[in-house]
Amino acid sequence: MMRVAAMSAGLTRCSLRPAFLGASRFTASMPPKSKRSSVIDCSKVQARPDAYGGVGAFAAVPIKKGELVERGVARIVPVDGNICQYVFTWSEDRSVWATGSGVSVFYNAALDGKPNSEMARHTNSDTFEIFAARDIDQGEEITHIYKSLEWR
């Protein structure tokens, strides 16, 4: 695949400019406009200042366990995620990296090992869904365990 070859070509810069390496698989497989709903929905989440001096994701409304928190689109980026920490692991072999739409890039890691959300990555369509792992109160910070937390 073109994007995998480009990723393994030794790219090391951390530049998140909107660049694609070829057509998105997601765009190619989308149903006609008249038959689709929004592919991005982050209406239950707000990006706000967090306790660490940065920005975190917080529940705008109460969210029940198992409920969809956010859904969105992943954009494959030509960076090395071992050097640039602001991207998601987007392949099992750790060669493809992506950034997410909506508030997804602001979810802090649950360093206590008790995340209140889980991300389902749909790498075949470059989309994702984030679900509540337990009930989340309005105003509570939403956290998850990053797939790459154990090696980066």
Side-chain angles (χ1 to χ4, degrees), residues 19-35:
F20 267 99
L21 300 175
S24 169
R25 293 174 302 192
F26 178 75
T27 305
S29 64
M30 288 180 65
K33 271 188 177 181
S34 61
K35 297 193 178 198

Side-chain angles (χ1 to χ4, degrees), residues 2 19-20 40 69 89 130:
M2 179 184 271
F20 267 99
I40 300 170
V69 175
T89 307
I130 299 172

